[in-house]
Amino acid sequence: MIKSEYHISKMDCPSEENMIRMKLDGIEVIRKLEFDIENRNLTVFHSREDEEILSRLESLNFGAKHTYSSSIDEKEVTIESSDVQSKLLWTILIINFGFFIIEMTTGLISKSMGLVADSLDMLADSFVYGLSLWAVGSTVLRKKKVARWSGFFQLSLAFLGIIEVVRRFIGSEEMPDYRIMIGVSVLALTANAICLYLLQKSKSKEAHMKASMIFTSNDVIINSGVILAGVLVLLTQSKYPDLIVGSIVFLIVSQGAFRILKLGK
């Protein structure tokens, strides 16, 4: 058995972990994957050398680099339970999709593009976890097809969002409701923190949620940005902080869509 470690500089949240899992799916020599998101490291346990592992990691453009490999006793590798992984993924999927509905609804009611954009980010995470569940017992070809459709759908929503932001910049729209913006974003921030905690706790008995890790997560940064936009809307009595944050988040969602599309190649 071979143990190989890779440093992945742009792997800073669980969504990217799941993208990597899906990208490596189908490589027969892989026996187990261990993720250390806080330190941005991936450990791959495989039965023999296979250049396809690094090739697929590099194709995601997450900055993957092979750091070292060593031979180990096969008895040292404990295979994770797929049932436990599936239950965890379902939990995270439900939380993310639930907040997508909540943020989309309240975003439209409060006229906040920041909340609407954040809801699409939640939807993007739902796609990733849903694709991970779909991959269980599914063919690689079918998984790639679903990834493509999910990516195109997400990209279309982000494009429509950017058009709406431009329209609101030009037009005379009402100022968004900062109270709903801040309140819902705080709830979403809490939900993301819970998701991160559940995912990290599941990795091993020694894995703990670190405050520094929470604040390096893209999702948490986005939630914090919407909260800040709500505060600035209150202080400036202007719609522009909300539109600026919405634009940034839509661009982040678009970037995520392109990453999902890469899974379909």
Side-chain angles (χ1 to χ4, degrees), residues 9 27 35 41 77 92 96 105 110 120 134 138 217 249 257:
S9 59
I27 300 181
F35 289 83
N41 290 326
V77 182
I92 306 302
N96 275 275
T105 303
S110 65
L120 293 186
W134 179 274
S138 179
S217 165
V249 178

Side-chain angles (χ1 to χ4, degrees), residues 137-152:
S138 179
T139 63
V140 175
L141 182 61
R142 183 179 295 177
K143 181 189 68 176
K144 288 184 176 182
K145 184 176 181 180
V146 175
R148 282 197 297 271
W149 280 108
S150 298
F152 283 129

Side-chain angles (χ1 to χ4, degrees), residues 1 3 8 17 21 27 60 84-85 88 91 102 160 163 206 218 233 262:
M1 181 71 70
K3 176 182 177 181
I8 306 177
E17 172 189 332
R21 286 186 182 275
I27 300 181
L60 286 171
V84 172
Q85 288 183 14
L88 176 64
T91 301
I102 292 171
L160 291 174
I163 291 176
E206 298 179 356
N218 287 338
V233 167
K262 288 179 181 177

Side-chain angles (χ1 to χ4, degrees), residues 22-229:
M22 286 185 287
K23 194 65 177 179
L24 297 180
D25 183 43
I27 300 181
E28 296 181 356
V29 300
I30 294 178
R31 295 292 175 264
K32 182 182 178 181
L33 301 175
E34 284 187 355
F35 289 83
D36 180 358
I37 299 179
E38 183 181 4
N39 295 309
R40 293 173 170 80
N41 290 326
L42 164 64
T43 303
V44 181
F45 298 88
H46 45 112
S47 58
R48 57 181 172 79
E49 292 289 352
D50 192 333
E51 295 180 358
E52 183 70 13
I53 297 174
L54 181 58
S55 176
R56 291 196 188 185
L57 288 174
E58 289 177 336
S59 70
L60 286 171
N61 292 328
F62 286 169
K65 291 184 179 180
H66 176 250
T67 53
Y68 78 89
S69 293
S70 62
S71 298
I72 62 170
D73 191 327
E74 191 168 351
K75 294 179 181 179
E76 296 180 33
V77 182
T78 303
I79 306 301
E80 299 169 324
S81 169
S82 59
D83 290 338
V84 172
Q85 288 183 14
S86 293
K87 288 179 181 178
L88 176 64
L89 286 172
W90 271 115
T91 301
I92 306 302
L93 171 61
I94 291 170
I95 291 174
N96 275 275
F97 191 73
F99 267 89
F100 155 68
I101 295 174
I102 292 171
E103 287 194 300
M104 177 61 76
T105 303
T106 55
L108 294 174
I109 292 173
S110 65
K111 302 184 184 301
S112 168
M113 292 309 295
L115 279 179
V116 171
D118 195 17
S119 75
L120 293 186
D121 185 61
M122 286 288 200
L123 180 63
D125 288 344
S126 299
F127 279 150
V128 173
Y129 295 119
L131 285 169
S132 296
L133 287 165
W134 179 274
V136 178
S138 179
T139 63
V140 175
L141 182 61
R142 183 179 295 177
K143 181 189 68 176
K144 288 184 176 182
K145 184 176 181 180
V146 175
R148 282 197 297 271
W149 280 108
S150 298
F152 283 129
F153 178 66
Q154 182 181 324
L155 193 61
S156 299
L157 290 177
F159 180 68
L160 291 174
I162 291 172
I163 291 176
E164 178 63 14
V165 167
V166 172
R167 188 189 72 79
R168 294 193 182 197
F169 257 113
I170 298 172
S172 56
E173 294 291 323
E174 294 180 21
M175 189 177 69
D177 190 326
Y178 65 86
R179 291 165 297 186
I180 296 178
M181 287 177 65
I182 295 172
V184 174
S185 293
V186 168
L187 292 176
L189 181 66
T190 303
N192 274 318
I194 292 172
C195 290
L196 285 168
Y197 173 76
L198 291 173
L199 284 159
Q200 286 306 300
K201 184 180 178 181
S202 71
K203 301 307 173 188
S204 74
K205 294 181 180 179
E206 298 179 356
H208 299 283
M209 173 54 59
K210 302 288 183 72
S212 59
M213 180 180 171
I214 294 177
F215 289 103
T216 57
S217 165
N218 287 338
D219 291 335
V220 175
I221 291 173
I222 289 171
N223 296 146
S224 301
V226 179
I227 293 172
L228 176 61

